[in-house]
Amino acid sequence: MNARDDVREAYASWAATYDTDRNLTRDLDGTVTRQVLSQLRPATILETGCGTGKNTPFLAEIGAQVVALDFSPEMLARARSKVQADNVFFAQADLTRPWPCANACMELVVCNLVLEHIEDLGLVFSEAARVLVDGGRFFVCELHAFWQYEGKQAVFQRDGEQVAVPAFVHHISSFLAAAEAAGLALVTLGEWWHAEDEGRPPRLVSFLFEEQLFRNKQVNR
Ligand SMILES: C[S@@+](CC[C@H](N)C(=O)[O-])C[C@H]1O[C@@H](n2cnc3c(N)ncnc32)[C@H](O)[C@@H]1O
């Protein structure tokens, strides 16, 4: 099995308890996402790696239409049973393959706690740029590399054993390089600590990028 199959298998098992386990990273991500995005009112949102739909109800409040993708049927089943908003459409998709979305159809793309499981950031960023309208935003909230340097990654308990989900370290510069290559400009960068993280490195990093297709075309003419 490759890493992608291992990740999928891990989430098949974790789905049953993902929402109820003690998980400060999951909780902090929810807080950060609301803090950074609450002023936006996008007509269309693509949520990539929606999992059990932890952030989906919030996105359905700020956005008119939400498409939420994940490659785990078990995580999606949880999300579908929890989130029954009329303006949310869930679908199964692997983010390491071309996304099932038309060009320039989304005003906001979000990606929360997913990229540690995906080695190549290039396709994710180029697909985000492709599906965004000009001026659209790409919000990324992931484990901070400083946190990963301490050996931290997504883990859960199953039958008394700790299961670690396969993970890749992404440096801050790797996110920025992938964004630049895709034509996405950085708007804001945040480093985030949970209340229980005092004296420790930042747990999460968030980026808000903007699709600057039109401006780039003007400059390159
Ligand atoms: C830690 S969960 C995060 C879920 C949700 N975004 C949240 O913040 O609670 C990671 C999710 O990424 C999904 N995922 C990982 N690799 C993926 C891939 N290649 N394609 C689609 N989904 C993927 C997993 O199935 C899982 O639901």
PDB file of all heavy atoms in Angstrom, residues 7 11 18 29 47-51 69-71 94-96 99 110-119 121 124 140-143 148 154 165-168 170 175:
ATOM      1  N   VAL A   7      -3.326   6.562   4.456  1.00  0.00           N
ATOM      2  CA  VAL A   7      -4.073   7.706   5.019  1.00  0.00           C
ATOM      3  C   VAL A   7      -5.564   7.411   4.972  1.00  0.00           C
ATOM      4  O   VAL A   7      -6.292   7.592   5.955  1.00  0.00           O
ATOM      5  CB  VAL A   7      -3.746   9.005   4.234  1.00  0.00           C
ATOM      6  CG1 VAL A   7      -4.685  10.132   4.664  1.00  0.00           C
ATOM      7  CG2 VAL A   7      -2.295   9.406   4.434  1.00  0.00           C
ATOM      8  N   TYR A  11      -8.185   7.091   8.175  1.00  0.00           N
ATOM      9  CA  TYR A  11      -9.396   7.892   8.397  1.00  0.00           C
ATOM     10  C   TYR A  11     -10.662   7.037   8.403  1.00  0.00           C
ATOM     11  O   TYR A  11     -11.643   7.386   9.057  1.00  0.00           O
ATOM     12  CB  TYR A  11      -9.470   9.075   7.424  1.00  0.00           C
ATOM     13  CG  TYR A  11      -8.603  10.209   7.919  1.00  0.00           C
ATOM     14  CD1 TYR A  11      -7.351  10.445   7.373  1.00  0.00           C
ATOM     15  CD2 TYR A  11      -9.012  10.994   8.994  1.00  0.00           C
ATOM     16  CE1 TYR A  11      -6.525  11.450   7.871  1.00  0.00           C
ATOM     17  CE2 TYR A  11      -8.190  11.989   9.499  1.00  0.00           C
ATOM     18  CZ  TYR A  11      -6.952  12.217   8.935  1.00  0.00           C
ATOM     19  OH  TYR A  11      -6.143  13.198   9.453  1.00  0.00           O
ATOM     20  N   TYR A  18     -13.518  10.814  15.488  1.00  0.00           N
ATOM     21  CA  TYR A  18     -12.802  12.054  15.165  1.00  0.00           C
ATOM     22  C   TYR A  18     -13.423  13.264  15.876  1.00  0.00           C
ATOM     23  O   TYR A  18     -12.711  14.118  16.403  1.00  0.00           O
ATOM     24  CB  TYR A  18     -12.792  12.280  13.650  1.00  0.00           C
ATOM     25  CG  TYR A  18     -12.043  13.529  13.238  1.00  0.00           C
ATOM     26  CD1 TYR A  18     -10.655  13.513  13.068  1.00  0.00           C
ATOM     27  CD2 TYR A  18     -12.708  14.743  13.043  1.00  0.00           C
ATOM     28  CE1 TYR A  18      -9.962  14.661  12.715  1.00  0.00           C
ATOM     29  CE2 TYR A  18     -12.019  15.899  12.691  1.00  0.00           C
ATOM     30  CZ  TYR A  18     -10.657  15.855  12.535  1.00  0.00           C
ATOM     31  OH  TYR A  18      -9.965  17.002  12.189  1.00  0.00           O
ATOM     32  N   ASP A  29      -8.048  24.698  15.083  1.00  0.00           N
ATOM     33  CA  ASP A  29      -8.320  24.956  13.665  1.00  0.00           C
ATOM     34  C   ASP A  29      -9.717  25.565  13.472  1.00  0.00           C
ATOM     35  O   ASP A  29      -9.897  26.493  12.675  1.00  0.00           O
ATOM     36  CB  ASP A  29      -8.205  23.664  12.852  1.00  0.00           C
ATOM     37  CG  ASP A  29      -8.684  23.854  11.432  1.00  0.00           C
ATOM     38  OD1 ASP A  29      -7.912  24.393  10.616  1.00  0.00           O
ATOM     39  OD2 ASP A  29      -9.847  23.510  11.142  1.00  0.00           O
ATOM     40  N   GLU A  47     -14.659  23.394  -0.075  1.00  0.00           N
ATOM     41  CA  GLU A  47     -13.948  22.911   1.107  1.00  0.00           C
ATOM     42  C   GLU A  47     -13.242  21.617   0.729  1.00  0.00           C
ATOM     43  O   GLU A  47     -13.888  20.612   0.393  1.00  0.00           O
ATOM     44  CB  GLU A  47     -14.932  22.658   2.269  1.00  0.00           C
ATOM     45  CG  GLU A  47     -14.204  22.233   3.531  1.00  0.00           C
ATOM     46  CD  GLU A  47     -15.109  21.940   4.717  1.00  0.00           C
ATOM     47  OE1 GLU A  47     -16.333  21.773   4.525  1.00  0.00           O
ATOM     48  OE2 GLU A  47     -14.583  21.843   5.837  1.00  0.00           O
ATOM     49  N   THR A  48     -11.927  21.620   0.788  1.00  0.00           N
ATOM     50  CA  THR A  48     -11.151  20.435   0.385  1.00  0.00           C
ATOM     51  C   THR A  48     -10.736  19.661   1.633  1.00  0.00           C
ATOM     52  O   THR A  48     -10.217  20.247   2.586  1.00  0.00           O
ATOM     53  CB  THR A  48      -9.908  20.854  -0.431  1.00  0.00           C
ATOM     54  OG1 THR A  48      -9.075  21.688   0.370  1.00  0.00           O
ATOM     55  CG2 THR A  48     -10.296  21.582  -1.698  1.00  0.00           C
ATOM     56  N   GLY A  49     -11.007  18.358   1.638  1.00  0.00           N
ATOM     57  CA  GLY A  49     -10.693  17.549   2.820  1.00  0.00           C
ATOM     58  C   GLY A  49     -11.600  17.925   3.982  1.00  0.00           C
ATOM     59  O   GLY A  49     -11.131  18.184   5.090  1.00  0.00           O
ATOM     60  N   CYS A  50     -12.906  17.902   3.728  1.00  0.00           N
ATOM     61  CA  CYS A  50     -13.887  18.389   4.724  1.00  0.00           C
ATOM     62  C   CYS A  50     -13.999  17.481   5.938  1.00  0.00           C
ATOM     63  O   CYS A  50     -14.510  17.893   6.981  1.00  0.00           O
ATOM     64  CB  CYS A  50     -15.245  18.550   4.072  1.00  0.00           C
ATOM     65  SG  CYS A  50     -15.924  16.982   3.455  1.00  0.00           S
ATOM     66  N   GLY A  51     -13.540  16.227   5.809  1.00  0.00           N
ATOM     67  CA  GLY A  51     -13.610  15.297   6.932  1.00  0.00           C
ATOM     68  C   GLY A  51     -15.044  15.078   7.398  1.00  0.00           C
ATOM     69  O   GLY A  51     -15.961  14.885   6.583  1.00  0.00           O
ATOM     70  N   LEU A  69     -15.395  18.381  -0.371  1.00  0.00           N
ATOM     71  CA  LEU A  69     -14.788  17.166  -0.936  1.00  0.00           C
ATOM     72  C   LEU A  69     -13.934  16.446   0.105  1.00  0.00           C
ATOM     73  O   LEU A  69     -13.258  17.076   0.914  1.00  0.00           O
ATOM     74  CB  LEU A  69     -13.871  17.528  -2.112  1.00  0.00           C
ATOM     75  CG  LEU A  69     -14.458  18.335  -3.267  1.00  0.00           C
ATOM     76  CD1 LEU A  69     -13.354  18.633  -4.288  1.00  0.00           C
ATOM     77  CD2 LEU A  69     -15.618  17.590  -3.916  1.00  0.00           C
ATOM     78  N   ASP A  70     -13.914  15.131   0.022  1.00  0.00           N
ATOM     79  CA  ASP A  70     -12.992  14.320   0.828  1.00  0.00           C
ATOM     80  C   ASP A  70     -12.875  12.959   0.140  1.00  0.00           C
ATOM     81  O   ASP A  70     -13.784  12.542  -0.566  1.00  0.00           O
ATOM     82  CB  ASP A  70     -13.529  14.130   2.246  1.00  0.00           C
ATOM     83  CG  ASP A  70     -12.423  13.776   3.247  1.00  0.00           C
ATOM     84  OD1 ASP A  70     -11.928  12.627   3.217  1.00  0.00           O
ATOM     85  OD2 ASP A  70     -12.042  14.657   4.053  1.00  0.00           O
ATOM     86  N   PHE A  71     -11.725  12.276   0.349  1.00  0.00           N
ATOM     87  CA  PHE A  71     -11.599  10.963  -0.303  1.00  0.00           C
ATOM     88  C   PHE A  71     -11.992   9.817   0.616  1.00  0.00           C
ATOM     89  O   PHE A  71     -11.948   8.661   0.195  1.00  0.00           O
ATOM     90  CB  PHE A  71     -10.219  10.765  -0.924  1.00  0.00           C
ATOM     91  CG  PHE A  71      -9.051  10.457  -0.014  1.00  0.00           C
ATOM     92  CD1 PHE A  71      -7.849  10.011  -0.569  1.00  0.00           C
ATOM     93  CD2 PHE A  71      -9.120  10.595   1.359  1.00  0.00           C
ATOM     94  CE1 PHE A  71      -6.750   9.708   0.223  1.00  0.00           C
ATOM     95  CE2 PHE A  71      -8.028  10.311   2.175  1.00  0.00           C
ATOM     96  CZ  PHE A  71      -6.855   9.868   1.605  1.00  0.00           C
ATOM     97  N   ASP A  94     -10.337  12.649  -4.601  1.00  0.00           N
ATOM     98  CA  ASP A  94      -8.948  12.592  -4.153  1.00  0.00           C
ATOM     99  C   ASP A  94      -8.263  13.888  -4.585  1.00  0.00           C
ATOM    100  O   ASP A  94      -8.183  14.186  -5.781  1.00  0.00           O
ATOM    101  CB  ASP A  94      -8.277  11.371  -4.801  1.00  0.00           C
ATOM    102  CG  ASP A  94      -6.829  11.205  -4.370  1.00  0.00           C
ATOM    103  OD1 ASP A  94      -6.280  12.092  -3.698  1.00  0.00           O
ATOM    104  OD2 ASP A  94      -6.242  10.162  -4.723  1.00  0.00           O
ATOM    105  N   LEU A  95      -7.754  14.611  -3.623  1.00  0.00           N
ATOM    106  CA  LEU A  95      -7.158  15.922  -3.921  1.00  0.00           C
ATOM    107  C   LEU A  95      -5.819  15.810  -4.631  1.00  0.00           C
ATOM    108  O   LEU A  95      -5.285  16.819  -5.096  1.00  0.00           O
ATOM    109  CB  LEU A  95      -6.981  16.725  -2.622  1.00  0.00           C
ATOM    110  CG  LEU A  95      -8.263  16.966  -1.833  1.00  0.00           C
ATOM    111  CD1 LEU A  95      -7.941  17.579  -0.477  1.00  0.00           C
ATOM    112  CD2 LEU A  95      -9.217  17.855  -2.618  1.00  0.00           C
ATOM    113  N   THR A  96      -5.269  14.589  -4.725  1.00  0.00           N
ATOM    114  CA  THR A  96      -4.009  14.418  -5.450  1.00  0.00           C
ATOM    115  C   THR A  96      -4.249  14.107  -6.926  1.00  0.00           C
ATOM    116  O   THR A  96      -3.318  13.794  -7.667  1.00  0.00           O
ATOM    117  CB  THR A  96      -3.125  13.321  -4.820  1.00  0.00           C
ATOM    118  OG1 THR A  96      -3.771  12.053  -4.963  1.00  0.00           O
ATOM    119  CG2 THR A  96      -2.855  13.596  -3.367  1.00  0.00           C
ATOM    120  N   TRP A  99      -9.193  18.072  -9.650  1.00  0.00           N
ATOM    121  CA  TRP A  99     -10.420  18.189  -8.858  1.00  0.00           C
ATOM    122  C   TRP A  99     -11.653  18.242  -9.768  1.00  0.00           C
ATOM    123  O   TRP A  99     -11.576  18.825 -10.868  1.00  0.00           O
ATOM    124  CB  TRP A  99     -10.357  19.454  -8.006  1.00  0.00           C
ATOM    125  CG  TRP A  99      -9.227  19.467  -7.013  1.00  0.00           C
ATOM    126  CD1 TRP A  99      -8.335  18.459  -6.749  1.00  0.00           C
ATOM    127  CD2 TRP A  99      -8.844  20.562  -6.167  1.00  0.00           C
ATOM    128  NE1 TRP A  99      -7.436  18.856  -5.778  1.00  0.00           N
ATOM    129  CE2 TRP A  99      -7.723  20.133  -5.406  1.00  0.00           C
ATOM    130  CE3 TRP A  99      -9.343  21.847  -5.963  1.00  0.00           C
ATOM    131  CZ2 TRP A  99      -7.102  20.967  -4.464  1.00  0.00           C
ATOM    132  CZ3 TRP A  99      -8.721  22.668  -5.032  1.00  0.00           C
ATOM    133  CH2 TRP A  99      -7.617  22.225  -4.293  1.00  0.00           C
ATOM    134  N   VAL A 110     -11.012  26.409   0.743  1.00  0.00           N
ATOM    135  CA  VAL A 110     -10.393  26.234   2.065  1.00  0.00           C
ATOM    136  C   VAL A 110      -9.798  24.835   2.175  1.00  0.00           C
ATOM    137  O   VAL A 110     -10.294  23.881   1.568  1.00  0.00           O
ATOM    138  CB  VAL A 110     -11.399  26.463   3.230  1.00  0.00           C
ATOM    139  CG1 VAL A 110     -12.038  27.835   3.139  1.00  0.00           C
ATOM    140  CG2 VAL A 110     -12.443  25.371   3.289  1.00  0.00           C
ATOM    141  N   CYS A 111      -8.740  24.736   2.967  1.00  0.00           N
ATOM    142  CA  CYS A 111      -8.050  23.465   3.170  1.00  0.00           C
ATOM    143  C   CYS A 111      -7.542  23.454   4.616  1.00  0.00           C
ATOM    144  O   CYS A 111      -6.655  24.244   4.956  1.00  0.00           O
ATOM    145  CB  CYS A 111      -6.890  23.364   2.182  1.00  0.00           C
ATOM    146  SG  CYS A 111      -6.099  21.745   2.189  1.00  0.00           S
ATOM    147  N   ASN A 112      -8.140  22.613   5.451  1.00  0.00           N
ATOM    148  CA  ASN A 112      -7.812  22.602   6.880  1.00  0.00           C
ATOM    149  C   ASN A 112      -7.305  21.236   7.311  1.00  0.00           C
ATOM    150  O   ASN A 112      -8.036  20.235   7.211  1.00  0.00           O
ATOM    151  CB  ASN A 112      -9.066  22.915   7.714  1.00  0.00           C
ATOM    152  CG  ASN A 112      -9.622  24.296   7.442  1.00  0.00           C
ATOM    153  OD1 ASN A 112     -10.242  24.518   6.408  1.00  0.00           O
ATOM    154  ND2 ASN A 112      -9.392  25.206   8.347  1.00  0.00           N
ATOM    155  N   LEU A 113      -6.088  21.185   7.819  1.00  0.00           N
ATOM    156  CA  LEU A 113      -5.518  19.978   8.426  1.00  0.00           C
ATOM    157  C   LEU A 113      -5.500  18.787   7.462  1.00  0.00           C
ATOM    158  O   LEU A 113      -5.746  17.656   7.849  1.00  0.00           O
ATOM    159  CB  LEU A 113      -6.300  19.598   9.703  1.00  0.00           C
ATOM    160  CG  LEU A 113      -6.424  20.699  10.764  1.00  0.00           C
ATOM    161  CD1 LEU A 113      -7.208  20.193  11.971  1.00  0.00           C
ATOM    162  CD2 LEU A 113      -5.067  21.219  11.202  1.00  0.00           C
ATOM    163  N   VAL A 114      -5.193  19.055   6.227  1.00  0.00           N
ATOM    164  CA  VAL A 114      -5.181  18.023   5.186  1.00  0.00           C
ATOM    165  C   VAL A 114      -3.773  17.845   4.596  1.00  0.00           C
ATOM    166  O   VAL A 114      -3.333  16.725   4.320  1.00  0.00           O
ATOM    167  CB  VAL A 114      -6.154  18.392   4.032  1.00  0.00           C
ATOM    168  CG1 VAL A 114      -6.112  17.355   2.926  1.00  0.00           C
ATOM    169  CG2 VAL A 114      -7.573  18.558   4.555  1.00  0.00           C
ATOM    170  N   LEU A 115      -3.055  18.952   4.435  1.00  0.00           N
ATOM    171  CA  LEU A 115      -1.835  18.910   3.613  1.00  0.00           C
ATOM    172  C   LEU A 115      -0.690  18.162   4.266  1.00  0.00           C
ATOM    173  O   LEU A 115       0.242  17.749   3.581  1.00  0.00           O
ATOM    174  CB  LEU A 115      -1.427  20.333   3.213  1.00  0.00           C
ATOM    175  CG  LEU A 115      -2.470  21.024   2.316  1.00  0.00           C
ATOM    176  CD1 LEU A 115      -2.037  22.445   1.991  1.00  0.00           C
ATOM    177  CD2 LEU A 115      -2.721  20.227   1.039  1.00  0.00           C
ATOM    178  N   GLU A 116      -0.753  17.927   5.577  1.00  0.00           N
ATOM    179  CA  GLU A 116       0.307  17.090   6.173  1.00  0.00           C
ATOM    180  C   GLU A 116       0.247  15.681   5.578  1.00  0.00           C
ATOM    181  O   GLU A 116       1.230  14.945   5.630  1.00  0.00           O
ATOM    182  CB  GLU A 116       0.199  17.040   7.706  1.00  0.00           C
ATOM    183  CG  GLU A 116      -0.960  16.224   8.224  1.00  0.00           C
ATOM    184  CD  GLU A 116      -0.939  15.981   9.738  1.00  0.00           C
ATOM    185  OE1 GLU A 116       0.017  15.364  10.231  1.00  0.00           O
ATOM    186  OE2 GLU A 116      -1.889  16.402  10.406  1.00  0.00           O
ATOM    187  N   HIS A 117      -0.900  15.296   5.019  1.00  0.00           N
ATOM    188  CA  HIS A 117      -1.052  13.949   4.451  1.00  0.00           C
ATOM    189  C   HIS A 117      -0.746  13.899   2.960  1.00  0.00           C
ATOM    190  O   HIS A 117      -0.863  12.846   2.334  1.00  0.00           O
ATOM    191  CB  HIS A 117      -2.479  13.436   4.678  1.00  0.00           C
ATOM    192  CG  HIS A 117      -2.886  13.449   6.120  1.00  0.00           C
ATOM    193  ND1 HIS A 117      -2.115  12.890   7.105  1.00  0.00           N
ATOM    194  CD2 HIS A 117      -3.976  13.971   6.742  1.00  0.00           C
ATOM    195  CE1 HIS A 117      -2.711  13.057   8.272  1.00  0.00           C
ATOM    196  NE2 HIS A 117      -3.839  13.716   8.087  1.00  0.00           N
ATOM    197  N   ILE A 118      -0.425  15.025   2.362  1.00  0.00           N
ATOM    198  CA  ILE A 118      -0.195  15.086   0.913  1.00  0.00           C
ATOM    199  C   ILE A 118       1.227  15.586   0.675  1.00  0.00           C
ATOM    200  O   ILE A 118       1.581  16.697   1.077  1.00  0.00           O
ATOM    201  CB  ILE A 118      -1.250  16.001   0.244  1.00  0.00           C
ATOM    202  CG1 ILE A 118      -2.642  15.368   0.403  1.00  0.00           C
ATOM    203  CG2 ILE A 118      -0.902  16.241  -1.222  1.00  0.00           C
ATOM    204  CD1 ILE A 118      -3.777  16.151  -0.228  1.00  0.00           C
ATOM    205  N   GLU A 119       2.032  14.754   0.022  1.00  0.00           N
ATOM    206  CA  GLU A 119       3.459  15.085  -0.123  1.00  0.00           C
ATOM    207  C   GLU A 119       3.680  16.264  -1.067  1.00  0.00           C
ATOM    208  O   GLU A 119       4.457  17.164  -0.788  1.00  0.00           O
ATOM    209  CB  GLU A 119       4.220  13.855  -0.626  1.00  0.00           C
ATOM    210  CG  GLU A 119       5.711  14.078  -0.682  1.00  0.00           C
ATOM    211  CD  GLU A 119       6.485  12.782  -0.883  1.00  0.00           C
ATOM    212  OE1 GLU A 119       5.899  11.790  -1.362  1.00  0.00           O
ATOM    213  OE2 GLU A 119       7.687  12.778  -0.560  1.00  0.00           O
ATOM    214  N   LEU A 121       2.669  19.542  -2.711  1.00  0.00           N
ATOM    215  CA  LEU A 121       1.760  20.688  -2.589  1.00  0.00           C
ATOM    216  C   LEU A 121       1.404  21.278  -3.951  1.00  0.00           C
ATOM    217  O   LEU A 121       0.415  21.996  -4.081  1.00  0.00           O
ATOM    218  CB  LEU A 121       2.411  21.790  -1.740  1.00  0.00           C
ATOM    219  CG  LEU A 121       2.726  21.456  -0.287  1.00  0.00           C
ATOM    220  CD1 LEU A 121       3.383  22.655   0.402  1.00  0.00           C
ATOM    221  CD2 LEU A 121       1.463  21.044   0.460  1.00  0.00           C
ATOM    222  N   VAL A 124      -2.129  20.605  -5.498  1.00  0.00           N
ATOM    223  CA  VAL A 124      -3.190  21.207  -4.677  1.00  0.00           C
ATOM    224  C   VAL A 124      -3.262  22.717  -4.937  1.00  0.00           C
ATOM    225  O   VAL A 124      -4.342  23.275  -5.149  1.00  0.00           O
ATOM    226  CB  VAL A 124      -2.944  20.921  -3.178  1.00  0.00           C
ATOM    227  CG1 VAL A 124      -3.875  21.736  -2.305  1.00  0.00           C
ATOM    228  CG2 VAL A 124      -3.102  19.426  -2.903  1.00  0.00           C
ATOM    229  N   VAL A 140      -5.624  28.332   3.881  1.00  0.00           N
ATOM    230  CA  VAL A 140      -4.943  27.091   4.266  1.00  0.00           C
ATOM    231  C   VAL A 140      -4.648  27.182   5.757  1.00  0.00           C
ATOM    232  O   VAL A 140      -4.088  28.188   6.212  1.00  0.00           O
ATOM    233  CB  VAL A 140      -3.619  26.942   3.482  1.00  0.00           C
ATOM    234  CG1 VAL A 140      -2.830  25.743   3.983  1.00  0.00           C
ATOM    235  CG2 VAL A 140      -3.881  26.828   1.987  1.00  0.00           C
ATOM    236  N   CYS A 141      -5.019  26.168   6.527  1.00  0.00           N
ATOM    237  CA  CYS A 141      -4.661  26.121   7.949  1.00  0.00           C
ATOM    238  C   CYS A 141      -4.136  24.715   8.233  1.00  0.00           C
ATOM    239  O   CYS A 141      -4.883  23.737   8.094  1.00  0.00           O
ATOM    240  CB  CYS A 141      -5.872  26.456   8.827  1.00  0.00           C
ATOM    241  SG  CYS A 141      -5.436  26.608  10.574  1.00  0.00           S
ATOM    242  N   GLU A 142      -2.865  24.642   8.595  1.00  0.00           N
ATOM    243  CA  GLU A 142      -2.197  23.338   8.699  1.00  0.00           C
ATOM    244  C   GLU A 142      -1.278  23.305   9.906  1.00  0.00           C
ATOM    245  O   GLU A 142      -0.992  24.349  10.508  1.00  0.00           O
ATOM    246  CB  GLU A 142      -1.367  23.085   7.425  1.00  0.00           C
ATOM    247  CG  GLU A 142      -2.211  22.920   6.168  1.00  0.00           C
ATOM    248  CD  GLU A 142      -3.013  21.619   6.129  1.00  0.00           C
ATOM    249  OE1 GLU A 142      -2.611  20.644   6.802  1.00  0.00           O
ATOM    250  OE2 GLU A 142      -4.042  21.581   5.438  1.00  0.00           O
ATOM    251  N   LEU A 143      -0.764  22.117  10.231  1.00  0.00           N
ATOM    252  CA  LEU A 143       0.239  22.010  11.287  1.00  0.00           C
ATOM    253  C   LEU A 143       1.417  22.905  10.931  1.00  0.00           C
ATOM    254  O   LEU A 143       1.904  22.874   9.791  1.00  0.00           O
ATOM    255  CB  LEU A 143       0.750  20.574  11.414  1.00  0.00           C
ATOM    256  CG  LEU A 143      -0.190  19.522  11.998  1.00  0.00           C
ATOM    257  CD1 LEU A 143       0.599  18.243  12.250  1.00  0.00           C
ATOM    258  CD2 LEU A 143      -0.856  20.000  13.278  1.00  0.00           C
ATOM    259  N   GLN A 148       5.683  20.276  13.652  1.00  0.00           N
ATOM    260  CA  GLN A 148       6.060  19.010  13.020  1.00  0.00           C
ATOM    261  C   GLN A 148       7.511  18.640  13.326  1.00  0.00           C
ATOM    262  O   GLN A 148       7.828  17.461  13.487  1.00  0.00           O
ATOM    263  CB  GLN A 148       5.860  19.090  11.503  1.00  0.00           C
ATOM    264  CG  GLN A 148       4.399  19.221  11.067  1.00  0.00           C
ATOM    265  CD  GLN A 148       4.268  19.150   9.560  1.00  0.00           C
ATOM    266  OE1 GLN A 148       4.858  19.942   8.831  1.00  0.00           O
ATOM    267  NE2 GLN A 148       3.500  18.198   9.069  1.00  0.00           N
ATOM    268  N   ALA A 154      -0.844  13.867  13.009  1.00  0.00           N
ATOM    269  CA  ALA A 154      -2.183  13.410  13.371  1.00  0.00           C
ATOM    270  C   ALA A 154      -2.105  11.989  13.940  1.00  0.00           C
ATOM    271  O   ALA A 154      -1.544  11.090  13.300  1.00  0.00           O
ATOM    272  CB  ALA A 154      -3.078  13.438  12.133  1.00  0.00           C
ATOM    273  N   VAL A 165      -1.182   8.748  11.572  1.00  0.00           N
ATOM    274  CA  VAL A 165      -1.569   8.834  10.165  1.00  0.00           C
ATOM    275  C   VAL A 165      -0.344   9.329   9.376  1.00  0.00           C
ATOM    276  O   VAL A 165       0.295  10.290   9.802  1.00  0.00           O
ATOM    277  CB  VAL A 165      -2.750   9.827   9.987  1.00  0.00           C
ATOM    278  CG1 VAL A 165      -3.273   9.770   8.558  1.00  0.00           C
ATOM    279  CG2 VAL A 165      -3.857   9.533  10.985  1.00  0.00           C
ATOM    280  N   PRO A 166      -0.001   8.681   8.251  1.00  0.00           N
ATOM    281  CA  PRO A 166       1.185   9.110   7.490  1.00  0.00           C
ATOM    282  C   PRO A 166       1.182  10.618   7.230  1.00  0.00           C
ATOM    283  O   PRO A 166       0.144  11.186   6.886  1.00  0.00           O
ATOM    284  CB  PRO A 166       1.065   8.330   6.175  1.00  0.00           C
ATOM    285  CG  PRO A 166       0.300   7.100   6.546  1.00  0.00           C
ATOM    286  CD  PRO A 166      -0.673   7.537   7.622  1.00  0.00           C
ATOM    287  N   ALA A 167       2.365  11.224   7.451  1.00  0.00           N
ATOM    288  CA  ALA A 167       2.427  12.690   7.365  1.00  0.00           C
ATOM    289  C   ALA A 167       3.738  13.127   6.727  1.00  0.00           C
ATOM    290  O   ALA A 167       4.760  12.434   6.823  1.00  0.00           O
ATOM    291  CB  ALA A 167       2.306  13.292   8.758  1.00  0.00           C
ATOM    292  N   PHE A 168       3.699  14.281   6.086  1.00  0.00           N
ATOM    293  CA  PHE A 168       4.868  14.901   5.451  1.00  0.00           C
ATOM    294  C   PHE A 168       5.062  16.279   6.072  1.00  0.00           C
ATOM    295  O   PHE A 168       4.088  16.975   6.333  1.00  0.00           O
ATOM    296  CB  PHE A 168       4.639  15.046   3.933  1.00  0.00           C
ATOM    297  CG  PHE A 168       4.329  13.739   3.269  1.00  0.00           C
ATOM    298  CD1 PHE A 168       3.010  13.328   3.091  1.00  0.00           C
ATOM    299  CD2 PHE A 168       5.354  12.894   2.853  1.00  0.00           C
ATOM    300  CE1 PHE A 168       2.718  12.103   2.498  1.00  0.00           C
ATOM    301  CE2 PHE A 168       5.068  11.672   2.250  1.00  0.00           C
ATOM    302  CZ  PHE A 168       3.746  11.267   2.083  1.00  0.00           C
ATOM    303  N   HIS A 170       5.839  20.062   5.890  1.00  0.00           N
ATOM    304  CA  HIS A 170       5.839  21.163   4.910  1.00  0.00           C
ATOM    305  C   HIS A 170       6.367  22.421   5.590  1.00  0.00           C
ATOM    306  O   HIS A 170       5.759  22.912   6.550  1.00  0.00           O
ATOM    307  CB  HIS A 170       4.426  21.408   4.368  1.00  0.00           C
ATOM    308  CG  HIS A 170       3.887  20.260   3.570  1.00  0.00           C
ATOM    309  ND1 HIS A 170       4.564  19.734   2.476  1.00  0.00           N
ATOM    310  CD2 HIS A 170       2.753  19.522   3.683  1.00  0.00           C
ATOM    311  CE1 HIS A 170       3.861  18.729   1.966  1.00  0.00           C
ATOM    312  NE2 HIS A 170       2.768  18.578   2.680  1.00  0.00           N
ATOM    313  N   PHE A 175       5.075  26.128   1.382  1.00  0.00           N
ATOM    314  CA  PHE A 175       3.727  26.645   1.092  1.00  0.00           C
ATOM    315  C   PHE A 175       3.829  27.893   0.204  1.00  0.00           C
ATOM    316  O   PHE A 175       3.090  28.047  -0.769  1.00  0.00           O
ATOM    317  CB  PHE A 175       3.000  27.027   2.391  1.00  0.00           C
ATOM    318  CG  PHE A 175       2.544  25.858   3.217  1.00  0.00           C
ATOM    319  CD1 PHE A 175       3.171  25.542   4.413  1.00  0.00           C
ATOM    320  CD2 PHE A 175       1.470  25.076   2.822  1.00  0.00           C
ATOM    321  CE1 PHE A 175       2.746  24.472   5.186  1.00  0.00           C
ATOM    322  CE2 PHE A 175       1.030  24.001   3.588  1.00  0.00           C
ATOM    323  CZ  PHE A 175       1.675  23.707   4.774  1.00  0.00           C
TER     324      PHE A 175
END
